[in-house]
Amino acid sequence: LVVGQAVWALVVGQVRYSVPEEAKAGTVVGRLSQDLGLEAGEAESRRLRLVPQGRRASVEMSGASGALVVSSRLDREELCGKDAPCALRLEVLLERPLRVFHVELEVTDINDNAPVFPVKEETFKIAEFTTLPGSRFLLEGASDADVGSNAQLSYTLSPSEYFRLDHQESNDQSESLSLVLMQALDRETVPEHRLLLTASDGGRPSLSGTMELVISVLDANDNAPQFNQSVYKVKFLEGSKPGTLLMTLNATDLDEGINSDITYQFGRRVSAKVKEMFSIDEKKGEIRLQGNLDYEEMDNYEIVIEARDRGTLPLSGHCKVVVEVVDVNDNAPEVRVTSLSVPVSEDAAVGTVVALLSVSDRDSGANGRVRCLLWPASPFGLVSTFAGSYSLVLREALDRERVSEYEVEVRAEDGGSPALRASRVVRVPVSDVNDNAPSFAQAVYTVLARENNAAGAELARLWARDPDEAGNGRVSYSLSEGGGGGAVSGGGWRPASSYVSFEVRAVDAGEPPLWGNATVQLFVVDENDNAPSLLLAAGGAGAGAGGVLSGEGSSFLEPGSLWAWASWGAPAGQVVAKIRAVDADSGYNAWLRYELLEPRGKGAFRVGLYSGEVSTTRALEEADGPRQRLVIVVRDHGEPPLSVTATLSVSLVEGSETAQASAGSSAGIGGMAQGGAGSAAVAVGVSEWATNVWLVVAICAVSSVFVLALLLYVGSRCWPRSAVLSGAGPTTLVCASEVGSWSYSQRQSRSLCVSDGAGKSDLMVFSPNFPPPPPPPVPAGKETQPETPALLDT
């Protein structure tokens, strides 16, 4: 049975019902699930329920049918007092998905309360004859707890020839009820009058209440005090200080002497609450505040004041003071979170409801009008769904890697002056999705690896950063398909000869996984593991060589293995021989220098530091002897340097003998040299051919290293954040000699390599040598998956 359901409407998520008070428990207020457009059974499966309102609920939700039913006694007077209409505002939640509906339930009044007078009997004392016809005696009317027509009262007085009833109502809904004397009283005729005052309401059927009026007729003092108006109205601010003067009353009495001496006091029916809140000066008629006015507790007071003279038979006059309490903004807004759905996925759609909020203010008018805003600026917004209700919704796309948690402050401000504020912080964590691929700090890495590495030796460490968390940010590494030689730790081995360029792939553990690539360019750096080797050397004018000299340390060739002829009288600077050597290494490790080991001191011969040319330092004399033995050491510039030593025998002969030696050498070109003095001419031819070959090789090597160094230099300037992953070391200086040999130098400030006594300048090239980049930093305050580097090994 649906009782009293007049009209319902679904407008902007709001449903309205009405039900009469005193409806029995179990009465169906409305078919809510049907009115909300839900199918049969959806009310229970989607959990249609009422949000508790903090006080005893008189209605409840039927889970199976989705109907709103009465659960306990509905008393409109208890719920709303004299307020009309009496509307209960309910919030209904529908989950899966989350939605909120607002139900307004109007409890209609029935005529269940009869008018009630404050007392059963009212006594008046009226002097005979002196009380003139037309005199009025104020009566306190009845009250009815109902509203509307059920509380519209009318009064009737039992028939009397001396009295009539005067009932007046003003536009402001105040009323005045007076007993009017129609003719003078005669105590001797009728000493006492008993009248019945009846109050009837406008209900159907009408209810009534009665009060007996007892009028005692007195003699003497025939003028009662009179106020200049029957009702006084005054407005007073709530929160005013106790002791503040409310108003001063003044009543007049036409009598003289003691009969006109007036005292003021509260009426006999004034409540204790009024006496606690106000005080009246008995002589002056001053009404003062002695309690704390609170508009939210009571917004008006009605005070009956009696003015009484001091006659033998005292007379009194009455007035009513209506104190209207003016609201001030003394209550801050209240913000409550009624529902919160967190965490929010970073890929949540715009418009997703995150929380439901309730905002209220106990003040009235502008003081109770609240506006809400969010601070700071965030990807969330507030949507007003009902008076005092808001939804916190997503307005922009989220990015957990940028902000992993939001603290949204909901600020409420009322319309008072000054305005009062309140706030509530809502924490909204953001859950992660796999939306970031691993990324390396560089697209291309250049790695310098020293030769002769053992298998499994570490080449470099690469880091890929993934800002996602948990499995979405856990990175593993592998070589991508089609990469060059080399291996990553845990991978298969490939020939070292293919270590040129390959790609490293970083893959996260998300679903689906994301990945990023980096290219690794590998350059093998030479070590000084080869000692210089002597080539077949050709002498100066008619000089010869006896084979290929090789070795390291302080190994000396036997005397006579290298020889040359020089004529007495040859001028200073005459080249008598040229020592030729090569080194299988490259760069500085192959840059050779020649030094004269013996004889020490100032001798007749010298050797070019980088050319290897043996020349005279002065004119040769017979005193120098027939033969000079020179020990020459050839060193590279490696660390530590390696060397080979050669012994050169220079025979001093006459000029004609030198010419014969030269001719003999020319006649023997094209033969095989087995060593010894008799095969000198053949050795010269072979030496000349070998020298040309090595000269071409050296020139090619110089050009290649120069181009490589130039490319590395340009790359280091142009590639974004390019770095060389290798051990730290000084900048390398490379020099090229005139014959193409290479050497190593730590003299970084020089731009030219010059040997002692050398007459030609050398080419210099700088090759880059960068330290490895540090692991990419993790931003402060942001926890991510620890980054495991990719370990490149041979």
Side-chain angles (χ1 to χ4, degrees):
L1 177 63
V2 180
V3 179
Q5 180 179 355
V7 180
W8 70 269
L10 180 59
V11 181
V12 195
Q14 181 174 340
V15 181
R16 295 179 180 175
Y17 296 107
S18 65
V19 62
E21 68 175 327
E22 305 297 340
K24 294 181 179 180
T27 301
V28 177
V29 177
R31 309 291 183 184
L32 183 59
S33 62
Q34 180 179 347
D35 295 341
L36 294 179
L38 301 180
E39 299 294 336
E42 278 192 301
E44 188 171 9
S45 63
R46 295 179 63 182
R47 296 188 64 189
L48 185 66
R49 58 187 176 89
L50 286 176
V51 177
Q53 297 296 315
R55 61 181 179 181
R56 181 178 63 83
S58 299
V59 293
E60 63 182 12
M61 182 69 64
S62 175
S65 64
L68 192 64
V69 299
V70 176
S71 61
S72 61
R73 177 175 176 266
L74 283 170
D75 188 346
R76 193 207 65 80
E77 289 73 27
E78 179 182 348
L79 293 174
C80 302
K82 296 292 289 183
D83 293 339
C86 180
L88 302 181
R89 294 179 177 177
L90 309 175
E91 286 188 357
V92 179
L93 288 182
L94 182 63
E95 298 184 358
R96 303 175 187 145
L98 180 65
R99 293 189 62 188
V100 62
F101 298 91
H102 299 276
V103 177
E104 184 174 286
L105 178 60
E106 180 181 0
V107 181
T108 59
D109 184 54
I110 64 173
N111 194 22
D112 59 342
N113 292 280
V116 177
F117 286 93
V119 293
K120 292 294 184 182
E121 183 180 287
E122 181 76 42
T123 301
F124 296 90
K125 293 181 180 181
I126 303 176
E128 61 176 340
F129 298 116
T130 57
T131 303
L132 300 177
S135 298
R136 293 175 175 270
F137 304 92
L138 185 65
L139 300 176
E140 290 191 70
S143 61
D144 195 322
D146 296 322
V147 295
S149 61
N150 294 331
Q152 190 70 37
L153 302 181
S154 60
Y155 298 89
T156 58
L157 186 65
S158 58
S160 173
E161 60 180 312
Y162 294 98
F163 298 93
R164 69 177 179 86
L165 191 66
D166 184 24
H167 181 208
Q168 297 181 358
E169 294 184 62
S170 61
N171 294 333
D172 58 359
Q173 297 183 351
S174 62
E175 64 178 8
S176 176
L177 186 64
S178 301
L179 186 66
V180 181
L181 182 64
M182 297 175 62
Q183 59 182 355
L185 298 177
D186 187 355
R187 190 188 64 80
E188 288 73 20
T189 304
V190 183
E192 185 180 82
H193 297 266
R194 288 185 173 269
L195 303 174
L196 187 64
L197 178 63
T198 302
S200 302
D201 61 24
R204 302 278 181 190
S206 176
L207 300 179
S208 62
T210 61
M211 179 178 67
E212 187 177 28
L213 303 178
V214 179
I215 298 99
S216 297
V217 181
L218 304 176
D219 286 334
N221 190 16
D222 58 349
N223 288 291
Q226 297 290 327
F227 291 96
N228 58 357
Q229 60 188 72
S230 60
V231 178
Y232 294 89
K233 291 186 176 182
V234 61
K235 293 182 178 181
F236 217 62
L237 293 176
E238 67 168 326
S240 297
K241 294 181 179 180
T244 304
L245 178 64
L246 189 67
M247 67 177 303
T248 300
L249 295 174
N250 183 33
T252 59
D253 195 318
L254 298 178
D255 296 328
E256 295 181 352
I258 194 173
N259 290 331
S260 63
D261 190 5
I262 300 175
T263 60
Y264 301 90
Q265 58 190 13
F266 289 118
R268 290 173 293 171
R269 303 294 180 261
V270 171
S271 66
K273 179 66 176 176
V274 173
K275 293 179 179 179
E276 291 176 2
M277 191 65 64
F278 304 97
S279 65
I280 186 169
D281 187 288
E282 187 177 89
K283 295 181 178 180
K284 297 180 180 178
E286 295 177 347
I287 301 177
R288 293 183 180 272
L289 180 67
Q290 67 177 8
N292 295 314
L293 289 177
D294 188 352
Y295 174 87
E296 287 71 40
E297 183 178 341
M298 184 171 290
D299 58 359
N300 68 84
Y301 295 88
E302 290 187 358
I303 309 172
V304 176
I305 304 297
E306 180 181 1
R308 180 179 296 178
D309 61 27
R310 295 181 179 272
T312 304
L313 298 174
L315 299 178
S316 61
H318 299 81
C319 72
K320 182 186 293 184
V321 178
V322 178
V323 180
E324 181 180 344
V325 182
V326 179
D327 181 46
V328 297
N329 195 25
D330 58 345
N331 291 281
E334 296 179 0
V335 181
R336 295 184 294 111
V337 178
T338 59
S339 180
L340 183 62
S341 180
V342 293
V344 180
S345 176
E346 64 176 320
D347 62 350
V350 173
T352 300
V353 177
V354 178
L356 299 178
L357 307 170
S358 176
V359 181
S360 60
D361 193 314
R362 295 181 60 199
D363 293 321
S364 63
N367 297 331
R369 286 195 295 270
V370 181
R371 64 185 184 93
C372 291
L373 55 87
L374 291 180
W375 189 93
S378 65
F380 301 97
L382 283 178
V383 177
S384 178
T385 57
F386 189 70
S389 296
Y390 293 87
S391 295
L392 181 65
V393 299
L394 187 62
R395 289 278 178 85
E396 301 175 6
L398 299 176
D399 185 0
R400 189 204 65 83
E401 288 70 41
R402 186 173 60 87
V403 181
S404 61
E405 182 178 277
Y406 292 87
E407 285 195 354
V408 181
E409 184 179 2
V410 181
R411 293 183 173 180
E413 179 180 274
D414 60 27
S417 180
L420 298 180
R421 300 172 180 84
S423 64
R424 182 69 178 266
V425 176
V426 180
R427 292 179 63 254
V428 184
V430 182
S431 60
D432 183 57
V433 297
N434 192 25
D435 57 348
N436 290 278
S439 62
F440 291 90
Q442 303 169 203
V444 178
Y445 291 85
T446 301
V447 177
L448 298 182
R450 294 190 177 276
E451 66 172 328
N452 301 323
N453 272 343
E458 179 179 330
L459 296 178
R461 290 178 182 263
L462 277 67
W463 282 268
R465 182 176 179 270
D466 193 322
D468 293 324
E469 66 179 357
N472 295 334
R474 189 166 57 249
V475 179
S476 59
Y477 301 88
S478 65
L479 288 181
S480 63
E481 291 295 329
V488 176
S489 278
W493 300 98
R494 299 188 182 183
S497 60
S498 61
Y499 290 178
V500 176
S501 175
F502 55 90
E503 284 191 349
V504 176
R505 172 167 292 183
V507 183
D508 61 28
E511 288 294 337
L514 302 177
W515 63 84
N517 296 330
T519 300
V520 177
Q521 294 181 345
L522 181 64
F523 294 91
V524 180
V525 179
D526 179 58
E527 286 191 345
N528 192 25
D529 56 350
N530 292 279
S533 298
L534 292 174
L535 296 176
L536 291 177
V548 177
L549 302 179
S550 64
E552 61 183 24
S554 299
S555 300
F556 292 95
L557 296 177
E558 293 296 325
S561 57
L562 281 178
W563 62 92
W565 295 270
S567 60
W568 286 317
Q574 177 69 44
V575 177
V576 298
K578 185 177 182 70
I579 306 300
R580 301 179 184 274
V582 294
D583 196 315
D585 295 322
S586 64
Y588 304 120
N589 296 329
W591 186 31
L592 304 180
R593 59 185 295 161
Y594 303 83
E595 298 177 3
L596 185 60
L597 192 61
E598 292 182 7
R600 298 182 180 276
K602 294 183 178 180
F605 296 94
R606 64 182 296 274
V607 63
L609 182 61
Y610 296 111
S611 65
E613 293 179 344
V614 179
S615 60
T616 59
T617 59
R618 57 180 172 79
L620 300 178
E621 302 173 352
E622 291 186 5
D624 293 326
R627 178 177 294 183
Q628 290 283 332
R629 180 178 177 272
L630 305 179
V631 179
I632 300 171
V633 62
V634 183
R635 292 190 179 91
D636 59 26
H637 282 71
E639 287 293 341
L642 301 179
S643 64
V644 65
T645 304
T647 301
L648 175 64
S649 295
V650 181
S651 298
L652 303 180
V653 297
E654 296 291 342
S656 59
E657 296 178 4
T658 304
Q660 292 176 0
S662 300
S665 299
S666 300
I669 295 176
M672 296 294 294
Q674 302 295 331
S679 57
V682 177
V684 170
V686 176
S687 176
E688 292 292 346
W689 176 84
T691 300
N692 292 335
V693 172
W694 281 104
L695 182 59
V696 172
V697 173
I699 292 175
C700 293
V702 169
S703 302
S704 300
V705 174
F706 175 79
V707 172
L708 175 61
L710 184 60
L711 289 176
L712 290 176
Y713 177 79
V714 173
S716 66
R717 292 293 184 178
C718 300
W719 293 346
R721 295 186 58 83
S722 178
V724 177
L725 302 181
S726 67
T731 304
T732 304
L733 176 63
V734 179
C735 300
S737 72
E738 59 184 350
V739 294
S741 297
W742 294 87
S743 68
Y744 174 83
S745 174
Q746 297 291 344
R747 293 170 295 178
Q748 302 180 26
S749 62
R750 296 190 179 182
S751 61
L752 186 65
C753 296
V754 182
S755 65
D756 295 339
K760 299 181 180 179
S761 62
D762 298 322
L763 173 66
M764 297 184 61
V765 179
F766 289 92
S767 63
N769 189 11
F770 300 101
V778 178
K782 186 170 183 180
E783 298 180 357
T784 59
Q785 183 72 20
E787 298 171 358
T788 302
L791 176 61
L792 298 181
D793 52 23
T794 56

